[in-house]
Amino acid sequence: MSLKRLVPIRRVVRHFSLLIERVLVLVLLLNLAFSPILSVLGLAIPTAEAVFNQQINYQGKLTDSLNVSVSDGTYHMVFRLYTSATSATTTNIWEEDRSTATGNRITITGGLFSVMLGSSTALTGVNFNQPLYLGVEIGGGAGSPTWDGEMSPRKILGAVPAAFEAQKLNGLNSTQFLRTDATNSTSTATSFITLTQSGAGAALSVTSGLTSLSTLLTVSSTTLQNFTGLNSTTTNATTTTSFATTASSTNLFASNATLDTATVTGALTSG
C-alpha cells in the first residue's frame, strides 16, 4: 500500500475519534443538565448500592492426632458462638449445624476448609457488642456424623481495624451521645448538658403535645438553682416534692403544691 493511500485513512480515523469524543462530551453534558429534572419526575436511573453481607468467613486446617491432614471429602461440622471460653455447649447463643444435608456439609481439600458462617443459620440475632468465642465440632466424613466433642480451646472473635471506626459517628464514640432508650447519667463535676445560643432563636424549644409538666421536666434534686420561667403558663399542673418542704425567702414553694390554671411570668428565679 502506498503512502498516498495511508494518509486519507489516517485522517478518517482521526476525524472519527474526534467525533466520538464530542458525542461522549455531549452525553455527559445532557446527563448533568437533565439529571435534576429526571429526579423530580421520578425517572432517574437507579444506582446500585452495596449490600452488607451478614456472614463471617472462617477458614481452618483439619488434621488428625499425628498432625496429618485428613482425607479430602465432605465433613459434618457444627459451629457455635459463646460469651464464655469454657462454658458448656448448651450455653451457646448461636449454632449452625452443617451436617444435615450433603450439600450443606463442609468440603475439605488437603486439610483446608473455608466456610461462611451465617449462610445456613442467620447471625442477625447475635449481639456482637461483647466478647464472643467460636467453638467447632467435627462429626467425620461418613454418611452419618460421629461427634468427637468440641475442639479446644475456643477461638475468640477479633475485629478488623476498620471496625474500630465503624462504631463511631463522625469520629465520636457512641458513649458521647444521649440515648432515648436508656437513662443518661454522669458522675463528672462539670455540666452534663450545655446549650449555648448565640443567635436570636431559642436554645431549646419543646412543642410535642405536652399534657403535664412531668413530661417536660423531671427534677430529682430538692433544689433547682438559677432557673427563670419567662412567659410560661402552667395549666392544671401539679408539682410534688420539687422544692424544700419548708417555705422561706430562698425556698418559696412547699411540697405537694398545686397550680391550677395559673400563668407564671418571670416568677421563678433562684440564685
Side-chain angles (χ1 to χ4, degrees):
M1 184 178 294
S2 65
L3 181 61
K4 294 181 180 180
R5 178 75 174 173
L6 290 174
V7 172
I9 295 177
R10 291 178 179 175
R11 289 178 180 176
V12 170
V13 173
R14 183 167 62 252
H15 288 312
F16 184 74
S17 299
L18 291 175
L19 179 61
I20 295 297
E21 291 178 0
R22 290 175 182 176
V23 171
L24 292 176
V25 171
L26 179 60
V27 171
L28 178 60
L29 292 176
L30 290 174
N31 182 58
L32 293 176
F34 289 99
S35 289
I37 298 176
L38 293 176
S39 297
V40 172
L41 297 177
L43 300 176
I45 299 175
T47 57
E49 297 181 358
V51 178
F52 170 60
N53 183 14
Q54 299 180 351
Q55 300 176 8
I56 301 175
N57 178 251
Y58 177 68
Q59 300 175 350
K61 183 175 183 180
L62 190 61
T63 61
D64 58 19
S65 57
L66 299 177
N67 203 29
V68 177
S69 299
V70 299
S71 302
D72 295 351
T74 56
Y75 283 72
H76 305 273
M77 299 178 70
V78 172
F79 303 89
R80 304 183 183 94
L81 288 178
Y82 305 86
T83 57
S84 171
T86 57
S87 61
T89 57
T90 55
T91 64
N92 72 82
I93 62 173
W94 174 86
E95 180 180 89
E96 184 167 270
D97 187 349
R98 303 295 295 270
S99 67
T100 53
T102 303
N104 197 36
R105 298 171 190 170
I106 307 302
T107 300
I108 296 181
T109 304
L112 301 175
F113 68 89
S114 178
V115 59
M116 295 298 292
L117 302 179
S119 59
S120 179
T121 302
L123 289 162
T124 51
V126 178
N127 177 18
F128 286 96
N129 191 28
Q130 58 182 331
L132 293 177
Y133 302 85
L134 176 65
V136 181
E137 187 171 1
I138 311 298
S144 299
T146 303
W147 304 107
D148 59 356
E150 190 176 86
M151 290 187 288
S152 180
R154 294 170 182 166
K155 301 295 183 181
I156 187 170
L157 296 187
V160 296
F164 291 96
E165 288 299 321
Q167 69 170 350
K168 297 180 181 180
L169 178 62
N170 198 24
L172 299 177
N173 192 278
S174 59
T175 59
Q176 296 175 271
F177 294 90
L178 295 179
R179 295 177 53 179
T180 59
D181 62 337
T183 300
N184 298 280
S185 60
T186 182
S187 59
T188 61
T190 58
S191 299
F192 182 38
I193 301 176
T194 301
L195 299 177
T196 302
Q197 171 59 286
S198 57
L204 177 64
S205 178
V206 182
T207 59
S208 180
L210 300 175
T211 57
S212 67
L213 288 179
S214 61
T215 60
L216 174 61
L217 179 65
T218 302
V219 182
S220 298
S221 174
T222 58
T223 303
L224 185 60
Q225 297 181 351
N226 301 325
F227 183 88
T228 301
L230 179 61
N231 298 327
S232 58
T233 301
T234 59
T235 303
N236 297 326
T238 301
T239 59
T240 304
T241 318
S242 294
F243 297 90
T245 57
T246 304
S248 65
S249 59
T250 56
N251 299 300
L252 300 180
F253 294 95
S255 63
N256 302 321
T258 302
L259 298 178
D260 186 13
T261 316
T263 300
V264 182
T265 303
L268 298 178
T269 303
S270 175

